[in-house]
Amino acid sequence: AQQGVAAESMRPVFPPAPYPAHATLVTGVSVAKHGIAAAGLDQASDLRAASLWQAVAQQGRTVAALDWPTTGGAAIADLAPDLVVPAGASWLDALASGGAGRAAEFARRAGGGNPAAAAPGAARDAALVTMACALLLADPAPALLLLRLSQTQVALDAAGPDSEPADAAFAASDAELGRLVRCLGDAGLLDTTGIAVAGDHIGQFEQRRGHAVSPPNTRRARPGRCGWRPACRRQSPRLRR
């Protein structure tokens, strides 16, 4: 358990796309049962199955969701839903009207006013991880934190796999995960926290192949590319700094 768990293969949901996959992760059921079959179903009311955040909230514990799909309007204490921000508009303004709890204020402190954070990508990811760290250090800290990072999706869509932009994006997202793990340590929560990391975006290059095979997280398996795992960080001088 201290080393975590890994799988050599996976069976994706169908259709194997971001919104259906995220819904399955938090409901544990198939697309046919949870009803999220495509992008655009961004409201929690679109879900036809009970969610993990509902189960946690029913126990009287705090939940935070940052950029997680299909959470619009959800009864989540600290919520920054997956929002499409119109061109020229501010992510902070969108969160002020569509978010809940401490999310909008923490986004402001995290640099969410940066125009680059209005769209998925590195700037949004950096702000989200900073927000997550602030929540973990706050009182009450969330018992469940749902966080989606998007810069790898942007790079894969733009340049495809095995490209320099994709490799850089995976390295940067790995560093963000490492920062989140350090924040858990700073908050005194690391030893009692379970961390699950999943990649759901196969991209247009796999859609043309019909999503037949998806080797999981192959870029994260490269030497030194495991900054989010405490055991791996202890073995890597680069990640200890």
Side-chain angles (χ1 to χ4, degrees):
Q2 291 181 350
Q3 299 300 319
V5 295
E8 293 183 356
S9 62
M10 61 175 285
R11 179 180 296 173
V13 299
F14 186 83
Y19 274 68
H22 279 81
T24 291
L25 285 172
V26 294
T27 61
V29 300
S30 66
V31 174
K33 293 182 179 180
H34 62 58
I36 307 301
L41 297 172
D42 56 2
Q43 297 299 300
S45 58
D46 294 322
L47 276 172
R48 298 202 302 255
S51 66
L52 182 58
W53 68 74
Q54 290 172 319
V56 173
Q58 287 170 1
Q59 296 175 4
R61 306 172 78 184
T62 302
V63 178
L66 304 180
D67 222 37
W68 195 268
T70 316
T71 53
I76 292 176
D78 296 302
L79 174 63
D82 174 30
L83 297 170
V84 177
V85 181
S90 166
W91 184 44
L92 291 182
D93 290 342
L95 286 178
S97 59
R102 299 168 288 185
E105 174 59 22
F106 284 176
R108 183 188 66 78
R109 299 180 192 175
N114 179 355
R124 172 80 65 88
D125 286 357
L128 289 168
V129 173
T130 300
M131 292 165 64
C133 288
L135 287 166
L136 292 170
L137 292 167
D139 185 20
L144 171 66
L145 171 65
L146 300 172
L147 169 66
R148 180 182 67 159
L149 303 181
S150 59
Q151 62 186 297
T152 52
Q153 173 182 336
V154 173
L156 287 169
D157 284 345
D162 299 319
S163 64
E164 290 186 5
D167 193 45
F170 274 96
S173 65
D174 188 74
E176 293 291 4
L177 289 170
R179 186 159 67 97
L180 182 64
V181 170
R182 291 191 293 274
C183 289
L184 282 165
D186 293 342
L189 300 171
L190 185 58
D191 290 340
T192 57
T193 297
I195 304 171
V197 179
D200 77 331
H201 188 75
I202 300 176
Q204 297 299 323
F205 49 91
E206 283 291 345
Q207 289 180 15
R208 290 193 292 270
R209 302 177 195 171
H211 293 280
V213 178
S214 177
N217 293 325
T218 54
R219 284 188 174 273
R220 291 201 187 283
R222 292 187 175 184
R225 186 69 57 75
C226 49
W228 59 276
R229 293 176 56 188
C232 182
R233 288 208 321 280
R234 289 194 293 269
Q235 300 168 10
S236 173
R238 179 180 66 85
L239 293 169
R240 284 201 299 267
R241 289 197 293 268

